[in-house]
Amino acid sequence: MTETGEPFSCLNAVELFADLSADDMDALDRMSPPKHFYSGELVFSQSQPIKALFILKAGRIRIFRVAEDGKTLTIAILEPGAVFGEMLLVGLQMYDNYAEALEASTVCQLSAADVENHFLSNPKMAVKISRLLGEQVARLEERLTDMALRPLAARTAATLLTLANSAPRGRFTHSVAVKLTHEQLAGLLGATREATSKIMSDLACRKLIKQGRGRILIEDAEGLRRISRTTF
């Protein structure tokens, strides 16, 4: 149950499920009881892949890969309302990926069979899932292109802006706080922690951001946007 006393639902705040009937929502909620993960706990891993669709109800999840040399590449950092794992449902494997809770998180899980019966048989839902998959693949391709062609400062600024777009707004300020450590940001950028920290210090000196413990406050989004467009 939620703090308001209303029945817990993993689906009602996710746009993907907006076309489901109330009966379908109730049925799926019964099939997907919430699971709680501690900070640092794995939702799934390369050694324990799970064929399922996951809905993040609370907290944050990091999707990442580990290279043969032990280096990690963060694919995405997910906020509440995110749906992940759906690539398994259309034949694309996530066996090389890990999903880790960055903080105490609540996740609901639907089996591939449940998703196929309730979603893929619904033309509207099938189209939405296909579109969601296409958007995620396009974002990943864009990030890989950026890593190969754009300077680290531009990638850092662009990544902070992207994270800020999905971060919750403060109640008493227009500033946006991104909850991220330098190590986590370096994983997103495919860079070393030292190089990332140097860029962040420069952005702070230019008063584009403020840094706190595990938090980055966006002070000048337009300034970051200008840097994100640079090519040298």
Side-chain angles (χ1 to χ4, degrees):
M1 299 291 284
T2 63
E3 292 182 359
T4 61
E6 297 176 355
F8 184 94
S9 173
C10 259
L11 279 64
N12 59 8
V14 182
E15 191 275 334
L16 177 65
F17 309 123
D19 291 323
L20 291 178
S21 68
D23 288 343
D24 282 340
M25 293 272 274
D26 289 341
L28 285 170
D29 273 327
R30 288 193 294 272
M31 297 175 191
S32 56
K35 295 183 178 180
H36 304 287
F37 295 88
Y38 296 108
S39 177
E41 190 174 359
L42 292 177
V43 179
F44 61 77
S45 68
Q46 187 180 39
S47 61
Q48 293 181 315
I50 302 175
K51 294 186 177 181
L53 181 145
F54 301 91
I55 305 122
L56 178 57
K57 186 66 176 179
R60 292 187 304 150
I61 297 291
R62 176 173 76 117
I63 308 296
F64 67 98
R65 291 185 177 183
V66 180
E68 291 183 359
D69 61 2
K71 293 181 179 179
T72 63
L73 172 63
T74 299
I75 306 300
I77 292 180
L78 307 177
E79 300 284 346
V83 176
F84 59 106
E86 73 286 342
M87 286 190 284
L88 287 167
L89 306 174
V90 290
L92 294 178
Q93 296 181 346
M94 292 186 71
Y95 296 156
D96 292 335
N97 287 358
Y98 296 75
E100 174 195 25
L102 289 178
E103 57 192 54
S105 300
T106 302
V107 176
C108 293
Q109 175 183 325
L110 287 165
S111 71
D114 290 336
V115 173
E116 184 174 355
N117 291 335
H118 288 269
F119 294 165
L120 300 186
S121 60
N122 181 324
K124 286 186 177 180
M125 291 300 302
V127 168
K128 283 188 174 183
I129 288 176
S130 297
R131 184 180 299 127
L132 179 65
L133 172 63
E135 290 172 352
Q136 291 188 354
V137 171
R139 284 196 296 269
L140 179 56
E141 289 179 345
E142 182 180 3
R143 284 193 57 227
L144 293 176
T145 300
D146 284 349
M147 288 172 62
L149 301 176
R150 299 176 71 193
L152 182 57
R155 285 156 41 204
T156 303
T159 298
L160 290 175
L161 289 171
T162 298
L163 293 171
N165 284 336
S166 58
R169 268 33 180 191
R171 294 179 60 185
F172 306 108
T173 176
H174 294 296
S175 297
V176 181
V178 175
K179 296 169 62 178
L180 209 64
T181 66
H182 283 194
E183 184 174 356
Q184 292 165 351
L185 180 58
L188 272 172
L189 297 169
T192 65
R193 187 187 184 283
E194 292 76 13
T196 301
S197 295
K198 184 177 179 180
I199 295 293
M200 293 295 288
S201 295
D202 180 62
L203 295 179
C205 288
R206 297 165 69 172
K207 301 188 184 303
L208 302 177
I209 63 171
K210 284 184 179 179
Q211 301 188 78
R213 193 168 186 176
R215 291 167 61 88
I216 303 163
L217 195 66
I218 307 300
E219 292 282 275
D220 184 354
E222 188 53 42
L224 287 176
R225 199 165 287 113
R226 286 193 295 271
I227 292 175
S228 72
R229 299 189 187 108
T230 59
T231 56
F232 57 87

